[in-house]
Amino acid sequence: MTRNTFVSELDTLKQEVKELGKKVENTFRAVVKAMDTDNRAELEDLIDADEEVNKAELAINEQAVLVIARQQPVAGDLRHIIVCLKISSDLERMGDLSVDMAKAYLHMASPGMFHRKREELLSIADKVRLMIGRVMKAYDTLDVLQAQDIAGMDDDIDRAYGVLVKELLQSRESTEDAAQLAFISRFMERIGDYCTNIAEWIIYEVNGSRFDLN
Amino acid sequence: MTSLLKKEAQPKNRPEEEHEPAKEAVFRTEGLNLWYGKKQALFSVDLEQKEKEVTAVIGPSGCGKSTYIKALNRMVEMNPEVKITGRISYRGEDIHSRRFPVEELRTRVGMVFQKPNPFPKSVFENVAYGPKIHGIRDKKLLEEIVEESLRGAAIWDEVKDRLQENAFGLSGGQQQRLCIARCLAVEPDVILMDEPTSALDPKSTLKVEDLVRELKDKYSIMIVTHNMQQAARISDRTAFFLNGEVVECDNTDKIFSTPADKRTEDYITGRFG
């Protein structure tokens, strides 16, 4: 095997994307927990911490540009780098959506309605968290079958989201809080969509073709 | 370029293959085996050079790529140890047929080498040499051919005031383009290039690459290169040779994005070779 430097640069890049994935998963988990415990100070901190995710994504972009310029990769190597860029961009958006969830919660007048819909919300949150973990694991091992399964999980989330939003719209309680909860569940559903995007990029990295899982 | 030399009778059209709006094969190699003495250098090579396309031939040293293109103009046979089986056809005609004189083949198939090899003569004489051998004596016509060929090789502006100077006074990049002009002067149909830029600096390399892209409108070009980025930049199709065999030949975009064979991927990504 030649090009050891190049190979280690590719590994480093992927390592950084995986770490970004961990960060985003942790943020999501922390936002859900802070909402559940009505810990507003923690939510504020999490909103501020999003800057780190943005910086990590930028660092990955810069590193990828340098590797492309220096090594002029082709074929599988080029896809490896393109997929690092694509996944880090999707992860960054997922980070933004977690922040949006925190902001929506902070706009709510009281935690009452969250608690009345707690079971449904946490059930969606659990599915989303599981999906993030699984898709990043599939990325780690470039497991195409696992990546294809992710799409099925997204369908579950979409269904649960549809039911919850319907209930919220029919709710006679505070319209403002119902709207914020609808936003929160919408943001979770969007994170699921980004996980599906990541799954599609995994398939692209392995097979060289785009596959629409949505 | 206008037709200044006698044209061959137009080749017979081959029956159209099914699914084809595809271009005609100028060269077609079928089951080509080649030995240098006892050592086999090419193994059952099947390959086509399509009309007005650039085919890049890539592969590690000693894989048979230079041998292959030198087989196409029968230059490889100058080595008395060489033995060939299989068939090479140029526009449908077997190049080893007695009815196909090798001189005629080499008029239709020009070659540019790794190191520029101008004759120790003036710039003008270098280009006029071929047409003169073909019996053109008219001075005005020769001047016309020389200018057109030098323009075709994108070097006219650089040498138009130095036509009588010795070609050795030109830079390496200019000498190589002069050699291309010399090749164009006899109006070939195909141009074979054997690592034409490996002795040139990056700027001259890019000039020759630009030139190859321009020449493709009029000529069919096969280029052996060690520079994979060059193959990716200038060719329509790429053939990957390994140990005397063609591992894969496909559209260049495909080869450099999603090659079908793992060995191709490993080679173009620099894992070996």
Side-chain angles (χ1 to χ4, degrees):
Chain A
M1 160 109 56
T2 53
R3 302 194 81 179
N4 292 331
T5 313
F6 179 38
V7 170
S8 84
E9 281 173 349
L10 293 178
D11 288 347
T12 306
L13 203 54
K14 180 161 181 170
Q15 196 54 41
E16 282 170 19
V17 176
K18 279 160 40 185
E19 276 163 26
L20 179 59
K22 273 265 169 321
K23 245 185 213 140
V24 169
E25 188 184 346
N26 288 340
T27 304
F28 176 79
R29 199 195 296 255
V31 166
V32 172
K33 191 176 168 205
M35 291 192 303
D36 193 30
T37 53
D38 192 35
N39 188 342
R40 292 179 167 248
E42 171 75 1
L43 286 172
E44 299 277 7
D45 288 347
L46 288 165
I47 291 169
D48 292 341
D50 184 49
E51 191 56 27
E52 270 178 53
V53 170
N54 297 345
K55 277 187 188 154
E57 191 222 352
L58 272 180
I60 289 167
N61 283 357
E62 282 167 15
Q63 191 55 32
V65 167
L66 283 178
V67 177
I68 291 172
R70 275 202 300 256
Q71 305 282 3
Q72 299 164 12
V74 291
D77 292 339
L78 182 57
R79 290 202 300 280
H80 176 106
I81 298 173
I82 297 298
V83 166
C84 283
L85 286 171
K86 290 293 189 181
I87 293 185
S88 61
S89 151
D90 286 343
L91 287 170
E92 190 272 337
R93 285 295 299 135
M94 286 157 68
D96 286 349
L97 287 164
S98 298
V99 164
D100 290 342
M101 287 162 59
K103 286 179 179 166
Y105 185 89
L106 292 176
H107 281 127
M108 288 175 69
S110 78
M113 196 159 180
F114 183 95
H115 281 285
R116 277 189 289 287
K117 292 292 174 196
R118 181 175 184 270
E119 200 176 316
E120 292 92 328
L121 284 161
L122 290 191
S123 155
I124 295 176
D126 269 350
K127 288 188 174 90
V128 170
R129 192 178 40 73
L130 199 64
M131 203 172 168
I132 301 174
R134 281 211 191 148
V135 82
M136 291 313 289
K137 188 160 175 250
Y139 175 55
D140 186 21
T141 53
L142 290 180
D143 185 335
V144 170
L145 292 178
Q146 178 87 277
Q148 278 166 341
D149 282 348
I150 304 290
M153 297 177 75
D154 191 43
D155 293 342
D156 275 358
I157 293 171
D158 289 354
R159 263 192 300 275
Y161 162 71
V163 173
L164 177 59
V165 163
K166 212 176 211 172
E167 287 173 12
L168 287 169
L169 289 178
Q170 288 163 353
S171 154
R172 292 177 187 190
E173 298 176 67
S174 156
T175 329
E176 172 67 23
D177 283 3
Q180 296 303 343
L181 277 189
F183 280 142
I184 288 170
S185 48
R186 167 72 179 157
F187 295 145
M188 289 197 285
E189 186 268 338
R190 289 294 295 142
I191 291 175
D193 290 345
Y194 278 104
C195 289
T196 310
N197 277 4
I198 293 175
E200 288 171 358
W201 288 119
I202 295 167
I203 296 169
Y204 171 73
E205 175 161 352
V206 176
N207 296 335
S209 53
R210 287 281 285 144
F211 191 85
D212 194 356
L213 290 175
N214 270 315
Chain B
M1 198 184 295
T2 51
S3 181
L4 302 167
L5 294 175
K6 270 191 200 163
K7 283 280 180 212
E8 302 288 334
Q10 281 303 305
K12 290 172 213 126
N13 285 330
R14 282 183 300 105
E16 291 286 309
E17 286 173 34
E18 288 172 16
H19 69 276
E20 295 258 294
K23 296 174 175 173
E24 191 188 346
V26 180
F27 266 111
R28 173 172 288 169
T29 315
E30 291 155 289
L32 179 70
N33 292 295
L34 187 147
W35 290 261
Y36 290 107
K38 284 184 179 161
K39 190 174 168 5
Q40 188 165 0
L42 295 176
F43 295 81
S44 194
V45 171
D46 295 323
L47 211 56
E48 279 186 352
Q49 166 67 47
K50 296 257 170 69
E51 173 103 57
K52 295 191 174 62
E53 278 194 359
V54 178
T55 305
V57 180
I58 60 169
S61 296
C63 68
K65 52 193 192 302
S66 284
T67 297
Y68 176 73
I69 69 161
K70 284 179 186 151
L72 297 182
N73 67 353
R74 300 191 58 186
M75 237 180 89
V76 75
E77 295 168 48
M78 287 172 165
N79 179 340
E81 287 204 310
V82 163
K83 196 185 112 199
I84 291 176
T85 65
R87 181 185 155 97
I88 304 173
S89 47
Y90 166 73
R91 294 200 177 271
E93 208 166 335
D94 188 339
I95 66 165
H96 293 102
S97 151
R98 274 197 209 127
R99 286 171 300 153
F100 201 158
V102 69
E103 298 74 24
E104 191 181 313
L105 175 70
R106 291 196 190 137
T107 305
R108 308 303 311 276
V109 183
M111 187 147 192
V112 176
F113 298 88
Q114 183 173 3
K115 261 184 90 179
N117 56 350
F119 305 133
K121 292 169 181 282
S122 70
V123 170
F124 185 92
E125 283 303 320
N126 260 279
V127 184
Y129 184 83
K132 277 184 178 174
I133 285 187
H134 285 86
I136 294 176
R137 290 279 170 261
D138 184 292
K139 198 163 170 270
K140 205 156 178 342
L141 186 54
L142 280 174
E143 279 173 2
E144 225 176 284
I145 293 174
V146 169
E147 178 171 345
E148 276 195 61
S149 306
L150 289 168
R151 280 189 191 281
I155 190 183
W156 171 251
D157 289 337
E158 291 162 63
V159 299
K160 63 182 181 209
D161 301 322
R162 313 164 58 180
L163 292 176
Q164 297 313 322
E165 286 176 29
N166 192 301
F168 287 169
L170 302 178
S171 73
Q174 288 172 330
Q175 287 186 14
Q176 192 62 305
R177 279 178 287 142
L178 177 66
C179 292
I180 293 172
R182 189 174 67 191
C183 172
L184 301 184
V186 293
E187 294 198 311
D189 180 23
V190 183
I191 304 174
L192 305 175
M193 298 183 162
D194 192 0
E195 295 182 44
T197 62
S198 60
L200 305 185
D201 63 70
K203 202 173 160 195
S204 306
T205 296
L206 290 178
K207 273 193 181 162
V208 171
E209 287 184 9
D210 275 345
L211 176 58
V212 168
R213 272 193 291 262
E214 283 166 28
L215 292 175
K216 168 180 113 151
D217 291 342
K218 292 180 182 164
Y219 308 93
S220 309
I221 299 171
M222 186 169 272
I223 179 167
V224 167
T225 177
H226 266 127
N227 180 337
M228 264 161 313
Q229 294 301 326
Q230 178 171 73
R233 281 193 293 265
I234 65 175
S235 68
D236 301 295
R237 290 174 69 78
T238 297
F240 170 53
F241 276 67
L242 186 64
N243 302 327
E245 286 179 69
V246 177
V247 170
E248 190 170 351
C249 179
D250 209 330
N251 290 333
T252 297
D253 290 347
K254 173 88 168 60
I255 294 277
F256 284 92
S257 57
T258 49
D261 195 290
K262 171 102 174 43
R263 291 167 295 173
T264 314
E265 169 112 18
D266 284 349
Y267 180 69
I268 61 165
T269 56
R271 299 300 194 274
F272 75 88

